[in-house]
Amino acid sequence: MFEEFLKKIENYKQIAVFSHIRPDGDCIGSQIALCIWLEKNGFDVRSFNDDDLPPNLVWLPEFYPVTKPSEEDVTECDLAILVDGNATHRFGKIDEWYRKFKLPLMMIDHHPDPENQFDVMISVPEASSTCELIYKLYVEHEPGQLCEKAAKALYTGIITDTGSLQFDSVTPETVEIVADLLRIGKFKPNEIIEKIYSNKSLKQYRLLSRALSTIELYENNQVAVMSVTQQMMDETGTTNVDTEGFVNYPLSIQGVKAAIIFKDLADDGIKMSLRSRSDVNVNLWARELDGGGHQKAAGAWHPGPLEKAIRETVEIGRKQLNKVEKTAST
Ligand code: 5GP
Ligand code: MN
């Protein structure tokens, strides 16, 4: 899988590794494990993200620092590697800088339908996570280099991107990889699970309680919609990052095939997260709104206002549901 990557990377020395904006466990985990790998193999490595980390992941960069990039940082590098995203616009300022400085790009990712922007592309949509791919890089190249820190970072990404090994992207091989990571990393699952999931604040639950009361069902109770407004966040002293995981509540209502959380972020517009637990393809759904993601988890933006965003998005979903029903009856 990494043959071309391993050959071409030898042409570079100063490597910048980027993870996508509004970072999650998989992008930061894969970034850190990749940086450790690059450093062990003699490269000068810098690790960048434009955004702050969500509070449940701030412990991860203890294994390898992740900083905000400046234009100057980027001019000092001769290659950029982008992890866990398939288009440069998902990575913030590097989208502009790589064009300006004609910086070669490599990507390692598991989202479907990548943009044709990369000099080397490791794109495996069936992989559970980008962390699973970085694990394979270690195994293919030199398994002995997989250290405790990298194992913990990779474990974090696989767990967070698979809903704790619950999604149907999980294969027997994914579980074998997790077992190997536990062995190599010499840790127990709860050491990391507690950091990721058991550090909620009371104000986050106050926001959740407001959000739960907004849930509405559409399309014969097959689509569930939850919304969060700027006012709710202001009144509970929370921000967008505190809504992490909220969409799983409407998604787990009996009979619901897809759920969407709409976050009305004042001046920025409406950010939505779409989730499916059926044949409804939310990647296609989000793409109709200029967003994207995976078949079962995707995101997009709408200029608003909120009611219009909900109406138009549900309308697009109706087409998706009809398509699934038609396929099922043929
Ligand atoms: P989340 O809903 O957790 O923000 O994102 C779910 C998935 O959709 C992730 O794989 C993420 O990369 C993708 N995604 C989220 N928001 C956007 C967006 O605005 N545009 C695109 N292209 N993908 C998105
Ligand atoms: Mn991912």
Side-chain angles (χ1 to χ4, degrees), residues 31-45:
Q31 176 174 33
I32 287 174
L34 176 62
C35 288
I36 294 173
W37 182 89
L38 287 166
E39 205 168 72
K40 279 186 201 279
N41 289 289
F43 299 96
D44 293 333
V45 196

Side-chain angles (χ1 to χ4, degrees), residues 39-204:
E39 205 168 72
K40 279 186 201 279
N41 289 289
F43 299 96
D44 293 333
V45 196
R46 319 272 305 264
S47 178
F48 299 118
N49 193 298
D50 280 9
D51 288 339
D52 290 330
L53 263 55
N56 66 337
L57 296 177
V58 289
W59 55 278
L60 256 180
E62 284 165 23
F63 300 154
Y64 200 96
V66 180
T67 56
K68 296 191 184 187
S70 69
E71 201 168 299
E72 200 187 356
D73 289 326
V74 171
T75 56
E76 286 166 7
C77 295
D78 54 12
L79 171 72
I81 307 179
L82 276 46
V83 295
D84 198 38
N86 62 8
T88 51
H89 69 85
R90 300 275 305 133
F91 291 81
K93 296 195 197 93
I94 185 66
D95 183 32
E96 181 195 326
W97 293 336
Y98 97 91
R99 295 171 213 268
K100 189 165 166 189
F101 304 118
K102 302 202 168 21
L103 194 62
L105 292 181
M106 295 189 183
M107 66 90 106
I108 305 174
D109 178 53
H110 70 135
H111 292 81
D113 307 319
E115 295 278 320
N116 187 15
Q117 298 173 289
F118 303 96
D119 301 287
V120 173
M121 199 158 78
I122 313 287
S123 170
V124 187
E126 356 22 290
S128 72
S129 51
T130 303
C131 280
E132 189 170 318
L133 300 176
I134 302 295
Y135 170 86
K136 288 182 176 165
L137 168 66
Y138 275 92
V139 169
E140 204 174 305
H141 178 247
E142 179 54 71
Q145 289 184 341
L146 187 48
C147 61
E148 288 181 29
K149 289 177 178 174
K152 286 180 180 174
L154 293 176
Y155 177 84
T156 303
I158 296 178
I159 290 297
T160 51
D161 247 35
T162 59
S164 305
L165 301 177
Q166 293 178 61
F167 297 165
D168 56 10
S169 56
V170 173
T171 62
E173 193 190 7
T174 317
V175 182
E176 279 157 11
I177 292 171
V178 166
D180 202 28
L181 294 173
L182 285 169
R183 222 173 278 123
I184 292 166
K186 300 190 181 70
F187 62 97
K188 297 233 185 275
N190 69 327
E191 183 188 320
I192 287 175
I193 299 286
E194 295 220 351
K195 285 182 182 153
I196 305 171
Y197 297 119
S198 301
N199 65 352
K200 303 271 192 292
S201 61
L202 180 60
K203 54 190 184 178
Q204 205 169 350

